[in-house]
Amino acid sequence: MENKLNNTEKEFQNLAQNYRPELAIDDIWNSIEADLPNRNRRRYFGLFWFICGVAVAGVIALGYMSIGSTDDVSKVNLSSIPKINSESQVEIKEEVQKDNFNRKGENPQFEEDYIKAESQESISVIEKTTGANIIQKNDGINHNDFNKMAYDNLMKVQDIEVVKVNSQEVSTQEVLFITNEIQNSKISNYNNNKQDQKRENFRNAKDEIAQIFGLPTMLISVENNLLPSIELLLTAYEKQIIPQKKESWNWEYGLFTGVNQNYTTYSLTSNEPTTLDARIGHERGRIGSVTDVRIGKRSQKGYSIFVGVGHSLIVDSYRQNERVVSQNLITGVNEISIDNNGGVTSNIGDLLVSEIDDVDISWNRIANNYSFTIGGSVPFAAYKNLNFGLESSFNYRFFGTTNGYYFDGDKEYITKFKNADYHPYKSSGVSQLTIGIPISYKVGAVELVLLPQYRFGINSINNNYSFYNQKSSQSGLQLGIVYWPQ
Amino acid sequence: MEEKSIIIGCKKKDRRSQRAFVDQYSSYLFGVCIRYVKSEFDAKDCLQDSLIRILNKIDLYSEDHGYFKGWISKLTANQCLSFLRKNNRVTLIELEDTEEIRTEEVITKKLELEDVLKFMNDLPEKYRIAINMYVIEGYTHKEIAQIIGLNESSSRSLVSRARKLLAEKFEEKKSIINEAEKGRVIDLRGGKNIKIN
């Protein structure tokens, strides 16, 4: 709402608003230009990393697809879950991964029909064996969960208890099938005389089971009356309803970004302690940033290996705002004596002179590091969807720029430099060891990761001919997102 | 360069657009500053700080904020108020000898730009701010109250007193002109007679 003004006030307002004094615009511009925002480089820098990330992800995805296309269709895509309820009804849940076929560039409909037919055949075998009513469902249960579920459920059909001892240690592993009384009448009706061809294979059942579980044959004992069960198991195995029991490793792609706190340590390489002492207490690390793009492979158990590229911004600062009093001995008149006759005698000797300097120094040094990373991680705990791991990696700086100030040991003063100028800091060849504790929360194929890290500087970040070694380590916290399709 | 292009360019941190902004709006914003802080030197300081502030915050500007000039004018006014608060002082402007006003000019003048600046400078600081915000910038009482940190009724009485003072200045000016028409030489700056022939 417009304020109510009288005519004079309106005239007054009009005059005031149209006041345009002449100004020296160039002077104003020169005085403010340095303080104006200039994000062009940052934007391009972000764009650079985005393009790098997309390119790396694209290459990996292409590689993954080309590898996938050589696989046997039935092995890759068929996933059926038999599940038994209290009435011995079996549900077969089938998940057909249409996307994989579409990516293959072949006839998707043909592939789908083929898989369905394969699946149906497997289902019919189980139906025939157990006499159960089988319902197909596409419930999205993933392929990797199938192995254990399918096996356990098949054992339930047979009312067989399976005991596995020390399943992680093959050398001491023993699988013992204990037969209980077969209570399920449908199973008891099983007529193995009609399965002569299959029965021949039962003679090699121990070998087959050993193969499934990756165990030495000698550790397998099979009771004769378990043969129908074994046949069922082998049938499912042959049809890939039960995938071969082996650890599978899938690609993972991660993007991490966060902050780091820099810590710098110095050690002398020559006897010039004064110049180094001057920095202690004033020069210290500050908070910078860190970003990593990773690709790797991860096992179903959560072990992973990865490589990546990263960028880190490492910041040091020097702050000194104090009055410095330094005392020096100089030679001068330190005593004057006047005798009784009025004669004046002066003595030349040491004089203590105090110099007072009001020091006000404030500067930053910023190092941009681009590095390769190779590392791995192991899981050590899990709680619901939260997983805790331990990771370690090796970082190698392949390129870096440094801008800011350095302490000139020869001249004993601080010199400002740009990367293109002379300065003592290395542009490559700096290595770090990193340890971290990734805490991840899994949502489908995506993991959100909180990653506390410590990066330990192995070697000096300045050149060898400096009179001191300067090592840089960082502690930091990154947030990451990892795509891990299984 | 069009206003819209300048805004878009400045949002992209484009140097040429920033320079165009400074070229185009410095003079206008200086006019805002000088009304608040009186001293030309301080006004230039405020102008520079305002320009930096505006160009750093220009991402926040959208058409919802009203017309662009109004938005930058508000930021500048706020900058000036911060300056006044920070320095917590009333600056006095000193007239130079060369600014002597001739009788003939006084007679022919009604209300002109110099009068505006002079009136503003003669007002006590709090009234000057109130006149600036209410009469010139067009802030509502609610806005003035928010910016200065008063309640609305205090803002009303402050503006009311300021307008009264301004009206007195207008009357004073009117009487000076009348006197001048009678053949007297008047110094507008002090409002007192210099010489009568």
Side-chain angles (χ1 to χ4, degrees), chain B residues 7-172:
Chain B
I7 295 169
I8 292 170
C10 288
K11 283 185 176 183
K12 291 178 179 174
K13 320 299 178 198
D14 172 56
R15 270 283 184 268
R16 283 189 306 171
S17 302
Q18 288 171 338
R19 175 64 203 240
F21 172 83
V22 172
D23 287 345
Q24 199 152 320
Y25 295 102
S26 288
S27 185
Y28 167 73
L29 295 176
F30 183 74
V32 176
C33 294
I34 196 72
R35 291 199 303 269
Y36 280 92
V37 297
K38 290 173 80 171
S39 152
E40 191 172 320
F41 182 78
D42 290 341
K44 279 186 178 168
D45 269 357
C46 284
L47 172 67
Q48 290 178 8
D49 291 343
S50 300
L51 290 169
I52 292 168
R53 194 172 175 212
I54 291 165
L55 290 170
N56 274 298
K57 285 179 172 283
I58 201 162
D59 282 337
L60 303 175
Y61 173 75
S62 71
E63 290 180 357
D64 299 338
H65 289 99
Y67 77 116
F68 185 58
K69 261 189 175 177
W71 185 73
I72 60 174
S73 173
K74 279 187 180 180
L75 283 184
T76 305
N78 283 336
Q79 186 65 39
C80 293
L81 291 170
S82 299
F83 173 85
L84 290 172
R85 282 194 202 103
K86 189 178 169 187
N87 290 279
N88 194 24
R89 62 185 167 86
V90 177
T91 52
L92 298 172
I93 192 165
E94 291 180 7
L95 291 173
E96 295 172 10
D97 292 338
T98 53
E99 292 185 3
E100 193 174 8
I101 299 167
R102 294 171 59 191
T103 311
E104 293 81 4
E105 289 173 351
V106 174
I107 293 168
T108 55
K109 277 178 180 174
K110 289 186 178 176
L111 192 60
E112 294 195 354
L113 185 61
E114 294 91 284
D115 302 322
V116 172
L117 296 176
K118 181 182 169 353
F119 289 171
M120 294 297 288
N121 286 339
D122 285 350
L123 288 170
E125 185 169 294
K126 59 181 179 180
Y127 298 125
R128 191 174 70 245
I129 292 169
I131 288 293
N132 253 318
M133 299 182 87
Y134 186 82
V135 177
I136 301 174
E137 310 287 355
Y139 286 89
T140 63
H141 287 299
K142 191 177 179 182
E143 288 171 326
I144 294 170
Q146 279 175 349
I147 294 168
I148 299 183
L150 300 170
N151 56 40
E152 248 183 275
S153 62
S154 300
S155 167
R156 282 180 197 285
S157 42
L158 181 66
V159 168
S160 171
R161 283 179 210 151
R163 290 176 77 183
K164 193 177 171 188
L165 268 178
L166 191 63
E168 285 172 8
K169 293 283 176 191
F170 292 151
E171 285 301 314
E172 193 180 326

Side-chain angles (χ1 to χ4, degrees), chain A residues 23 30 59 75 93 103 121 138 144 223 243 330 333 359 364 375 378 418 430:
Chain A
L23 292 171
N30 290 335
V59 167
K75 287 184 180 177
K93 302 179 179 182
R103 280 202 293 269
E121 189 182 343
N138 185 357
N144 298 295
E223 299 291 338
I330 63 168
V333 178
V359 181
N364 293 320
V378 294
K418 288 184 178 176
V430 179

Side-chain angles (χ1 to χ4, degrees), chain A residues 3-17:
Chain A
N3 295 333
K4 289 178 182 174
L5 303 176
N6 60 39
N7 288 336
T8 313
E9 284 174 338
K10 281 178 183 169
E11 191 183 350
F12 188 81
Q13 181 191 49
N14 186 43
L15 281 166
Q17 285 184 341

Side-chain angles (χ1 to χ4, degrees), chain A residues 325-332 349-357:
Chain A
V325 179
S326 56
Q327 293 187 317
N328 296 309
L329 278 176
I330 63 168
T331 303
D350 290 338
L351 273 179
L352 187 63
V353 178
S354 295
E355 288 182 13
I356 300 173
D357 289 318

